[in-house]
Amino acid sequence: MDPGFSVDEIAPIAILMDELRSEDVQLRLNAIHRISTIALALGPDRAREELIPFLQDSVDDEDEVLLALAEELGRDFEEYLGGSEYAHLLLGPLENLSAVEETLVRDKAAESITKVAAVLNQSQIEQYYIPLLQRLSHGEWFTSRTSACALYAPVYGKVGAPVQDELRRGFTQLGSDDTPMVRRAAAKWLGSFVKKLSKQHVLTDGLAIYRRLQGDDQDSVRLLTVEDLIAIAQQLTPAEVKDQLLKQIRQSVADKSWRVRYMAASHFNELAEAAGQDLVRDELIGHYVGLLKDNEAEVRTAAAGQIPGFSKLLDKEVILLKIVPCVRELCQDTSQHVRAAVANQIAGLAPLLGKDATIEHLLPLFLHLLKDEFPEVRLNIISKLETVNQVIGIELLSESLLPAIIELAEDKSWRVRQAIIEYIPLLATQLGKPFFDEQLGNLCMSWLGDNVYSIREAATVNLKKLTEVFGVEWAKVQIVPKVVGMGQHPTYLFRMTTVQAITTIAPSLTLDIISGDILDTLLQLGQDPIPNIRFNVAKSLEVLAATFGNTPEGKQLIRQKVLPILEAQKNDQDADVRYFATKALQQVRAVEAT
């Protein structure tokens, strides 16, 4: 627990208290952030006797300060009090913070209480924690009762059977509270609590609490019970799920509130896995199709995000009969968000359907989505093509999709163009040199002149990856002449791109290519009238020195050609050029010294 400076340098408790009482919020906040340091300076005895009582009375403050205090007390603060045997002392100030009006403060206080509970022994829990929990659970204001809901699960497994009975009764009471905010908190934390219960108590107490909350008249409560449903189902056998939860499953997926149906759709895969194969086949497939066809676009979007995961639980024939027709409809959906969700997930069906079915049923949908008017839809399809490639092979993929991909390479959305660039190396690996050179070579070079910087940057990285795929000899013929040629372009943008491309791809090339084909152009650009180009040349020369300066030939080349231009740039009229030239010279001399 070394604070990083001596105790003599730490302000005494009186100064801290003055800062905490200051009218300046920032001063009080800074003092709270130094609480652990002050506690260390005071020592365990004074920290317990003076600091903790002081903090317990410090709840009438700005929310920002209280939030910081709640967080600090959860950071192993018991070690400043003498260890875990005194950890229960932290419960006092945290209990007060758990009842304040601001939700963020209460949530952080409850989180810190949970951390404290982890180091308490059974005696401390029963003597200090349980009474705290009872006070919060029966608090006059709903704020304390909402905080209490989060505090049952952390200690349930650490107490004896009589106290566990008491805890189950307490949580049941919170689940029936008159205030919707408390019932909402109970629904939020019921899943965590249920996971601590024995099977017997899940079937009695857990189910009773859940059913009451799942039938609540507030949809903000019901939507939180979807995760509770999954937690309970995971504790039961498939037969018990069918007997005990089937009615609630039907109610959740067909709830009158779209927000509840949205939650059911978002978690449908987890629910299906917990329910078991028989219930999926007999019941859940119909409910899932219903969610995919829901009236609300948000629900369809959430359900579409579950397509591959849920389909893994089905036979191929069922996927073709039930899921694929829905997917086909969703590809035509009026909502762009729905189509984007489908585009992001549809490729996941390819491994499940196999080559022939993918070609017949999915490829037409890929082509349709690649031509969608919204960039995100196209982007999502492009980013998942590798999955399809693994199923149907590059020949069919390129034959079907390459024309669309080439069209997208000039898409008006730069994000789509960037996605295509990032996919090119993979495509190149599969297509081979001849096909690539014929179909995509010029395309890759055209991106270097794009008017969006991110595209030009991605294009240079793309060239480096292609060099690694096809080899340096290919790069010498196909890339280097075109990059060097751009260095003579009258437009500043193209000359700058030449420098950046050389900097990026140089480490993948050989010294012979650098010295014979590239360096002269780079040195010429070092005298360019544009300062930005000149200092980027200095940065590029620094990279070359670091990459090739470890051989006698490289050192000789640097000494003969690189040093003179950097020495000249060191006296350049532009400050940035002088800075980067000086920095590069330091690198060059360091290389020479090795």
Side-chain angles (χ1 to χ4, degrees), residues 149 179-189 213 218 220-221 224:
C149 295
T179 307
M181 284 76 82
V182 179
R183 300 199 302 275
R184 194 180 308 149
K188 177 181 178 181
W189 294 105
L213 292 170
Q218 299 279 328
S220 61
V221 175
L224 293 171

Side-chain angles (χ1 to χ4, degrees), residues 498-516:
T498 292
V499 178
Q500 292 172 331
I502 289 172
T503 306
T504 303
I505 67 174
S508 298
L509 301 175
T510 63
L511 182 61
D512 289 342
I513 295 175
I514 296 293
S515 61

Side-chain angles (χ1 to χ4, degrees), residues 10-21 35 38-39 42 46 50-51 54:
I10 299 174
I13 187 68
I15 295 178
L16 170 66
M17 291 181 175
D18 287 342
E19 290 180 354
L20 284 171
R21 296 188 186 103
I35 286 288
I38 299 300
L42 290 172
R46 291 189 64 196
E50 298 179 39
L51 184 58
F54 176 77

Side-chain angles (χ1 to χ4, degrees), residues 203 207 210-211 214 229-230 232-233 236-255 268 271-272 274-288:
L203 290 169
L207 273 174
Y210 163 70
R211 284 172 179 154
Q214 199 265 342
L229 170 62
I230 294 166
I232 293 172
L236 306 179
T237 65
E240 289 169 334
V241 171
K242 186 174 183 179
D243 290 341
Q244 302 290 342
L245 294 173
L246 185 54
K247 178 182 176 183
Q248 281 72 37
I249 292 173
R250 289 170 175 168
Q251 288 174 343
S252 292
V253 297
D255 196 279
F268 206 84
L271 177 59
Q277 195 69 39
D278 291 343
L279 202 57
V280 168
R281 183 182 61 249
D282 299 338
E283 183 84 23
L284 295 188
I285 178 66
H287 294 313
Y288 184 62

Side-chain angles (χ1 to χ4, degrees), residues 528-549:
D528 195 276
I530 305 296
N532 275 15
I533 293 179
R534 297 201 300 277
F535 78 64
N536 272 284
V537 167
K539 291 161 72 173
S540 184
L541 292 174
E542 181 179 355
V543 171
L544 293 181
T547 306
F548 299 104

Side-chain angles (χ1 to χ4, degrees), residues 27 31 41 58 73 92 143 191 214 236 288 342 369 455 460 483 499 522 537:
L27 200 59
S58 301
L73 292 179
T143 52
Q214 199 265 342
L236 306 179
Y288 184 62
V342 174
L369 292 169
I455 298 297
T460 60
V483 170
V499 178
L522 192 61
V537 167

